[in-house]
Amino acid sequence: MSRAVPLDSVDLKILAALQNNARLSNKELAATVGIAPSTCLDRVNRLRETGVIVGYQLRVDPAKLDRSLEALLYVRMQPHRRPLVEPFVEHVLNQPETRELYHLTGPDDFLIHVAAENANALQRLVLDELTARDEIALVHTNLVFQRWLGGPLLPPEE
Amino acid sequence: MSRAVPLDSVDLKILAALQNNARLSNKELAATVGIAPSTCLDRVNRLRETGVIVGYQLRVDPAKLDRSLEALLYVRMQPHRRPLVEPFVEHVLNQPETRELYHLTGPDDFLIHVAAENANALQRLVLDELTARDEIALVHTNLVFQRWLGGPLLPPEE
DNA sequence: GATGAAACGATCATTTA
DNA sequence: TAAATGATCGTTTCATC
């Protein structure tokens, strides 16, 4: 269901261009990659249908929303059993501070990226929403100085 | 420069709607939040001008691009000095596998989210691009089972 | 994959509350 | 000051080549 999809050089140009600017109009995109708008529309639709393009995400500045304290929370679950995982994931995703959640190999089972109003809000989140739960054995909190996004994601070179 | 911006309930509705679907047309968005399209356009432009909306990002499925092995790399820098930070950040952002990079408090100085083709590619990344550098004291690699995104980010309740 | 036409949406000057 | 109206302009989209 999630195998790699054959992509030609036009597809790759489209993906690179849209990852640089997801709001390019179809017309601009077509001009950028050098094909007709109708063809371009077909290509983009196919990239969506095949699941290469998953969605379009708004990026907001957490600081502008009074959430300037970002942190990564490393969470250990004990026992680390399937019936406990799903409710925990849902609980985390329901917290308004949650930006991303990872389920991981390694000593820590989860990593949560959160954006809180201040240290008080972060403390409340850790103590009341995480360590208060029986299955949560441990939470380590690391503050985020800065965060960068990688460039366009493309298939590995041959 | 990054203080919170006063936002009324219409702004919040716009932000919530666009975070659910950043490709809503202005007309649809206006209907969703219950205002005229022209007003809606003004609002969105203001949210961009004030820096609340930072950009629009394409979300792609790494597995569909032959990058199905995602990992988090915990990196310790020694010494952790400013002149070493910027070149390292640039080096990491230049790697095609890099999706996100965090600079952190705590025992590990950086966390890198990467999407690699397979274990070989991941090993190469860690050994040739990270631990090969003098300033990198240590890299821990944790694989990603699954990743979720949080819901819309809005200001804390009063 | 391109062309061209019809339909639709974005945008802005103007008007109104 | 903020929002709505309505005309213009441009883009998307689809049948056809």
Side-chain angles (χ1 to χ4, degrees):
Chain A
M1 184 235 145
S2 217
R3 286 282 299 290
V5 168
L7 300 170
D8 68 14
S9 70
V10 173
D11 292 317
L12 299 183
K13 279 188 203 162
I14 289 175
L15 288 172
L18 281 182
Q19 284 183 82
N20 280 326
N21 177 8
R23 259 167 51 93
L24 275 179
S25 75
N26 183 61
K27 195 190 172 198
E28 290 170 308
L29 180 60
T32 303
V33 308
I35 57 177
S38 58
T39 309
C40 189
L41 194 65
D42 278 356
R43 292 289 192 135
V44 173
N45 283 336
R46 191 162 323 146
L47 288 169
R48 264 210 303 276
E49 284 159 14
T50 54
V52 178
I53 292 177
V54 175
Y56 299 78
Q57 199 186 337
L58 192 73
R59 294 210 297 121
V60 298
D61 180 348
K64 289 278 165 45
L65 297 176
D66 238 340
R67 295 186 175 279
S68 20
L69 190 63
E70 291 185 60
L72 297 185
L73 311 179
Y74 306 78
V75 175
R76 213 164 287 192
M77 180 177 275
Q78 185 93 49
H80 186 201
R81 294 230 194 91
R82 181 178 279 282
L84 298 175
V85 167
E86 197 180 313
F88 174 71
V89 166
E90 195 179 328
H91 178 69
V92 170
L93 293 178
N94 280 331
Q95 303 305 313
E97 290 88 356
T98 300
R99 304 197 68 199
E100 308 173 82
L101 169 63
Y102 292 89
H103 191 193
L104 298 172
T105 68
D108 297 310
D109 302 305
F110 296 91
L111 183 141
I112 316 173
H113 172 206
V114 299
E117 185 179 8
N118 52 37
N120 272 347
L122 187 57
Q123 183 187 39
R124 191 205 65 80
L125 184 68
V126 171
L127 296 182
D128 295 348
E129 304 297 344
L130 299 176
T131 58
R133 294 173 71 95
D134 286 342
E135 78 275 27
I136 299 309
L138 185 140
V139 177
H140 280 143
T141 303
N142 285 187
L143 301 186
V144 174
F145 288 137
Q146 202 171 348
R147 176 176 184 253
W148 296 265
L149 293 181
L153 194 71
L154 296 171
E157 306 279 322
E158 280 310 286
Chain B
M1 184 237 147
S2 217
R3 286 282 300 288
V5 168
L7 300 169
D8 67 15
S9 70
V10 173
D11 293 316
L12 298 183
K13 277 188 203 163
I14 289 175
L15 288 171
L18 280 182
Q19 285 183 81
N20 280 327
N21 177 8
R23 257 169 50 94
L24 275 179
S25 73
N26 182 61
K27 197 190 169 196
E28 291 170 308
L29 180 61
T32 304
V33 307
I35 57 179
S38 58
T39 310
C40 189
L41 196 64
D42 278 356
R43 292 290 191 135
V44 173
N45 283 337
R46 192 163 321 149
L47 288 170
R48 266 210 303 275
E49 284 158 15
T50 54
V52 177
I53 293 177
V54 174
Y56 299 78
Q57 198 186 339
L58 191 73
R59 293 209 299 122
V60 299
D61 179 348
K64 290 277 166 45
L65 298 175
D66 239 341
R67 296 187 174 279
S68 20
L69 190 61
E70 291 185 60
L72 297 184
L73 311 178
Y74 305 78
V75 175
R76 213 165 288 192
M77 180 178 278
Q78 184 93 49
H80 186 201
R81 292 231 194 91
R82 182 179 278 281
L84 298 175
V85 168
E86 199 180 313
F88 174 71
V89 167
E90 195 179 329
H91 179 68
V92 170
L93 293 178
N94 280 331
Q95 303 305 314
E97 291 89 354
T98 301
R99 302 196 70 200
E100 307 171 82
L101 168 62
Y102 292 89
H103 190 193
L104 297 172
T105 68
D108 296 310
D109 302 304
F110 295 92
L111 183 141
I112 317 174
H113 173 206
V114 299
E117 185 180 7
N118 51 39
N120 272 346
L122 187 58
Q123 182 187 39
R124 191 205 65 80
L125 184 68
V126 171
L127 295 182
D128 296 348
E129 305 297 344
L130 298 176
T131 58
R133 294 172 71 94
D134 286 342
E135 78 275 26
I136 299 310
L138 184 142
V139 177
H140 280 143
T141 303
N142 285 188
L143 302 186
V144 174
F145 287 137
Q146 200 170 350
R147 176 176 182 253
W148 298 263
L149 293 180
L153 193 71
L154 296 171
E157 305 278 325
E158 280 311 287

